[in-house]
Amino acid sequence: MGIQRVTKTTSSDNVCEIIDRDGCVIIENMVSQENLSALIADLRPYIDQTPLGEVGFSGNRTRRTSALFAKSLHTAALVEQPLFMAAAEQFLQYEFPMMSGNKRVLVKPTVQVSVTQAIEILPGQPSQDLHRDDGMYHTFHPGPDSLLQTLYAGTDFTAQNGATMAILGSHKWDMDRRPRAEEAIPAEMSRGSGLLYVGSLYHGGGANQTDNENRLAIAVSLTQGYHRQEENQYLVVPRETVRKYPKHIQDLLGYAISTPYCGWVEMNEPSIVLETDDFSVLGANSFHNDELDPT
């Protein structure tokens, strides 16, 4: 059985059902060729200058170019995909019970970008070790998800050129079960399609067995607003660049409080640092959470 494929017009409920069952789904033509071409044109000079990785997990025949929001404003299109955001709401924004005085309330976190990366696998690269991306968050399995990622195909993905390998259903495994290479299947897909998966899925880059064909993936992952970002967006995306994005993208980069009170700056929304350099004079208690208001 291969990885199930859907179109970008498939209902979000159907997509989430597939991810819940298999851990991943391929969404065909997820991003437009126009947007993808513009993004890659912006990134290509950076990719070409990126040094190869080391032998092992990073890959000594692989280039990994990061900080994509700093390098191309077209990166925004990758997190504006409706099915990506709908899946994030389903798998990451689950309710958490807490007490405020004698009142029990349910709160939901925001979602934020955790990492962005263009990953180009060159001929001769061996397959990557199968792994779970959510290990950085010390996530126990089975348990709630802490990471959701889309790998956009910047080139066609084939079994020969290093298509990402995935083990269907492995997101439901416990902490002790070991992944085996023979259990993994390739996520073969056309340029512009996306592999959408939860961070608990065992997967890894495939071996590029071609003579002259590079495989390019554009990875964007999301996590809850109360986690630290894997790639520190505050440091890698200059403030003047963040200001060029619309507010919903700024929020995804981390410039919003995660309910109830995680991430504030001088008791204000963190977005105040985009509005003024001297935010300390604005005063405290400028944000308000009606859900936790004891009055």
Side-chain angles (χ1 to χ4, degrees):
M1 182 180 74
I3 299 173
Q4 187 160 342
R5 302 168 185 275
V6 300
T7 68
K8 62 182 180 181
T9 60
T10 303
S11 73
S12 59
D13 287 343
N14 190 15
V15 167
C16 290
E17 286 174 5
I18 296 168
I19 296 174
D20 183 61
R21 182 192 70 204
D22 297 339
C24 62
V25 64
I26 290 174
I27 301 173
E28 295 180 333
N29 302 311
M30 191 174 181
V31 64
S32 74
Q33 295 297 318
E34 180 182 12
N35 283 341
L36 184 60
S37 294
L39 172 64
I40 294 175
D42 286 346
L43 297 180
R44 177 47 63 185
Y46 298 100
I47 296 172
D48 290 343
Q49 295 176 45
T50 300
L52 296 172
E54 299 180 353
V55 173
F57 189 82
S58 295
N60 66 326
R61 296 290 296 161
T62 299
R63 295 190 180 100
R64 298 175 181 273
T65 304
S66 303
L68 303 191
F69 278 97
K71 295 178 171 69
S72 175
L73 296 179
H74 295 290
T75 306
L78 304 185
V79 290
E80 290 175 330
Q81 299 305 307
L83 292 177
F84 193 6
M85 298 312 300
E89 181 178 3
Q90 172 73 23
F91 291 102
L92 300 179
Q93 293 186 280
Y94 38 81
E95 292 181 325
F96 175 77
M98 61 178 294
M99 298 298 295
S100 178
N102 61 1
K103 179 183 178 183
R104 185 178 186 271
V105 296
L106 297 174
V107 297
K108 289 184 179 181
T110 60
V111 293
Q112 64 176 344
V113 172
S114 182
V115 70
T116 64
Q117 200 166 71
I119 307 168
E120 188 167 52
I121 296 179
L122 280 60
Q125 173 63 55
S127 60
Q128 187 184 35
D129 286 344
L130 296 169
H131 61 282
R132 285 169 157 162
D133 284 340
D134 61 6
M136 79 190 97
Y137 292 128
H138 299 200
T139 305
F140 285 94
H141 303 285
D145 291 295
S146 60
L147 199 69
L148 183 75
Q149 181 156 287
T150 298
L151 274 179
Y152 292 94
T155 58
D156 290 345
F157 274 36
T158 69
Q160 291 72 41
N161 73 4
T164 298
M165 307 294 291
I167 302 180
L168 298 183
S170 59
H171 63 307
K172 296 184 181 292
W173 293 0
D174 61 24
M175 302 289 287
D176 297 322
R177 184 168 173 179
R178 306 290 179 88
R180 302 193 312 271
E182 59 269 23
E183 297 176 286
I185 58 177
E188 295 188 287
M189 55 184 174
S190 61
R191 183 182 189 270
S193 297
L195 176 68
L196 178 57
Y197 63 97
V198 286
S200 49
L201 180 79
Y202 275 109
H203 69 286
N208 190 332
Q209 304 172 65
T210 68
D211 294 326
N212 56 7
E213 186 179 340
N214 294 359
R215 188 229 73 176
L216 178 64
I218 312 294
V220 180
S221 69
L222 301 173
T223 189
Q224 291 94 346
Y226 54 78
H227 276 133
R228 183 170 186 174
Q229 299 160 324
E230 177 182 358
E231 176 189 44
N232 194 320
Q233 304 300 318
Y234 309 110
L235 297 182
V236 300
V237 186
R239 198 177 302 178
E240 57 269 23
T241 303
V242 177
R243 291 189 181 106
K244 296 178 182 178
Y245 287 105
K247 186 178 185 307
H248 67 280
I249 299 297
Q250 295 173 353
D251 289 349
L252 285 171
L253 289 173
Y255 292 85
I257 285 175
S258 184
T259 307
Y261 302 125
C262 191
W264 51 264
V265 173
E266 292 282 356
M267 291 296 288
N268 285 273
E269 286 280 351
S271 58
I272 65 168
V273 304
L274 304 175
E275 302 167 8
T276 176
D277 291 329
D278 190 10
F279 48 81
S280 64
V281 301
L282 296 181
N285 299 315
S286 295
F287 68 85
H288 186 72
N289 190 325
D290 291 332
E291 288 181 340
L292 300 183
D293 191 342
T295 58

